[in-house]
């Protein structure tokens, strides 16, 4: 994991998110938008290479693991994997910016009519995207997948 300079991270956020979090301290921002706990966690992460858009991510759900292997868009791969697991997430806004600390990604997610932002910082843009999406879904505090998938 990267060392987080929260002020730089917040400065990289899109204008709408910066306005929404204007009264938060850096610690509050981190707790609100970068939440690591919830029904889904990112386990193992493996990029295929610096010049490749391939990655493997292991997602930890309450009662099982799922490995996502993707070439191309991490947003498409994660959206599909989450949908298959009963989390019909839609990405409404996506913002990614390279900082001195790594790649900062901010996503506004919607699932079952609820909206919220997720944010993450990682060395790799794909990893940052995956972690931001999982943070967004977890922050919505979604119940587990429905039985009638």
């Amino acid at each position: 994991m990267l060392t987080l300079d929260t002020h730089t991270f917040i400065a990289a956020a899109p204008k709408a998110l910066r306005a929404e979090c204007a009264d938060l301290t850096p610690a509050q921002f981190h707790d609100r938008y970068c939440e690591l706990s919830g029904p889904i966690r990112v386990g193992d992460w493996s990029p295929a290479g610096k010049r490749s858009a391939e990655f493997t991510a292991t997602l930890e759900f309450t009662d099982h693991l799922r490995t996502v292997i993707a070439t191309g868009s991490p947003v498409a791969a994660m959206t599909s994997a989450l949908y298959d697991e009963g989390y019909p997430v839609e990405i409404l806004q996506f913002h990614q910016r390279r900082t001195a600390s790594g790649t900062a990604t901010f996503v506004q997610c919607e699932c079952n009519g609820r909206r919220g932002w997720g944010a993450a910082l990682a060395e790799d843009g794909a990893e940052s995207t995956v972690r931001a999406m999982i943070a967004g879904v977890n922050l919505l505090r979604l119940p587990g997948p429905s039985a009638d998938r």
Side-chain angles (χ1 to χ4, degrees):
M1 265 313 185
L2 298 175
T3 302
L4 179 64
D5 174 356
T6 311
H7 293 289
T8 302
F9 188 51
I10 294 170
K15 185 177 180 179
L17 180 54
R18 284 193 318 267
E20 181 179 310
C21 70
D23 295 333
L24 299 180
T25 67
Q28 290 170 324
F29 177 90
H30 188 269
D31 289 347
R32 181 172 295 175
Y33 300 107
C34 306
E35 183 63 40
L36 300 176
S37 64
I40 309 165
R41 296 184 64 93
V42 179
D44 292 333
W45 173 263
S46 253
K50 294 282 186 197
R51 297 181 182 259
S52 175
E54 297 177 8
F55 68 89
T56 302
T58 301
L59 303 180
E60 300 174 5
F61 294 89
T62 304
D63 59 352
H64 68 285
L65 300 175
R66 177 175 181 148
T67 300
V68 177
I69 302 170
T71 300
S73 168
V75 172
M78 291 303 297
T79 301
S80 179
L82 290 168
Y83 181 83
D84 289 348
E85 293 293 334
Y87 298 91
V89 66
E90 182 177 346
I91 303 302
L92 303 176
Q93 292 186 53
F94 178 90
H95 182 84
Q96 193 169 65
R97 185 170 174 190
R98 187 80 184 137
T99 72
S101 300
T103 301
T105 303
F106 307 88
V107 293
Q108 185 183 41
C109 302
E110 181 173 11
C111 191
N112 299 327
R114 297 186 65 200
R115 290 183 181 186
W117 286 95
L121 181 72
E123 289 181 16
D124 177 79
E127 180 180 3
S128 179
T129 298
V130 167
R131 291 186 184 282
M133 288 179 68
I134 297 302
V137 171
N138 282 339
L139 287 165
L140 293 174
R141 298 288 189 228
L142 300 172
S146 63
D148 57 351
R149 284 195 249 173

